[in-house]
């Protein structure tokens, strides 16, 4: 019997499965459609930011590294405050039940950026440590629900 591995979590599913039994990720590729450009975490987080610059992008930015089949997607926070959450009204919309409706908030104060958890059920993690609020640095890893993101300041 042949198996299909989930591209999101790596779980071994039966060949006839359309969705992962463990995380629910779609196993079959979507039908071809509109072309979009994505960047791998390695391209985006290179030492001098050259991949971002080649793409014409400037930080600050949040790049999805994994989660929800959205790897490579880039978010540019508002100049002052951006709310991250599952609600479509949030500035950075992460559609998954592991993300609270209003999960966390990115705040820009002077030259500094910080993130603050808004009382989420699953917590907000920076560099694998659960936080209430913390100042962000270039290349910090954020985890919000099942999404892993990289914060780029450059």
């Amino acid at each position: 019997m042949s198996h299909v591995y989930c591209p999101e979590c790596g779980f071994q599913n039966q060949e006839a499965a359309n969705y992962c039994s463990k995380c629910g990720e779609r196993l079959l590729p979507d039908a071809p459609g509109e072309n979009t450009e994505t960047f791998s975490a390695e391209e985006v987080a290179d030492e001098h930011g050259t991949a971002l610059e080649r793409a014409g992008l400037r930080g600050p930015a949040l790049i999805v590294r994994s989660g929800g089949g959205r790897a490579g997607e880039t978010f540019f926070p508002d100049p002052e405050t951006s709310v991250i959450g599952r609600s479509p009204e949030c500035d950075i919309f992460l559609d998954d039940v592991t993300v609270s409706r209003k999960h966390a908030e990115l705040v820009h104060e002077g030259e500094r950026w910080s993130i603050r958890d808004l009382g989420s059920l699953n917590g907000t993690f920076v560099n694998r440590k659960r936080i209430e609020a913390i100042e962000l640095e270039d290349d910090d890893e954020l985890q919000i629900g099942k999404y892993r993101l990289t914060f780029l300041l450059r």
Side-chain angles (χ1 to χ4, degrees):
M1 176 184 280
S2 183
H3 293 28
V4 176
Y5 292 92
C6 175
E8 186 63 34
C9 70
F11 185 76
Q12 183 178 359
N13 294 276
Q14 292 191 8
E15 185 176 28
N18 290 327
Y19 295 91
C20 178
S21 301
K22 185 175 181 183
C23 72
E25 181 70 23
R26 185 165 170 75
L27 297 175
L28 300 176
D30 292 326
E34 184 178 316
N35 290 336
T36 57
E37 189 172 346
T38 60
F39 306 95
S40 70
E42 291 78 23
E43 288 177 316
V44 173
D46 65 353
E47 208 172 272
H48 303 291
T50 54
L52 268 181
E53 291 166 8
R54 278 195 309 266
L57 305 175
R58 304 257 335 134
L62 277 176
I63 291 91
V64 178
R65 289 182 35 216
S66 66
R70 297 171 66 179
E73 191 168 339
T74 304
F75 297 99
F76 298 97
D78 287 339
E80 294 176 13
T81 301
S82 294
V83 177
I84 304 168
R86 189 178 77 230
S87 170
E89 298 162 0
C90 289
D91 303 306
I92 299 174
F93 175 53
L94 300 176
D95 189 20
D96 187 74
V97 295
T98 60
V99 179
S100 297
R101 284 183 182 90
K102 290 189 177 177
H103 197 103
E105 179 178 55
L106 274 175
V107 180
H108 184 216
E109 299 167 345
E111 295 296 314
R112 299 176 180 190
W113 284 87
S114 59
I115 189 165
R116 180 171 55 106
D117 186 84
L118 297 176
S120 66
L121 183 62
N122 292 325
T124 301
F125 295 80
V126 174
N127 300 324
R128 300 179 188 242
K129 294 180 183 169
R130 190 170 184 156
I131 57 96
E132 293 298 319
I134 193 169
E135 185 176 322
L136 293 172
E137 296 180 13
D138 194 34
D139 289 328
D140 275 348
E141 177 188 272
L142 283 67
Q143 183 170 348
I144 297 174
K146 71 176 185 180
Y147 292 90
R148 287 186 186 251
L149 307 106
T150 299
F151 177 76
L152 296 177
L153 193 54
R154 46 184 170 252

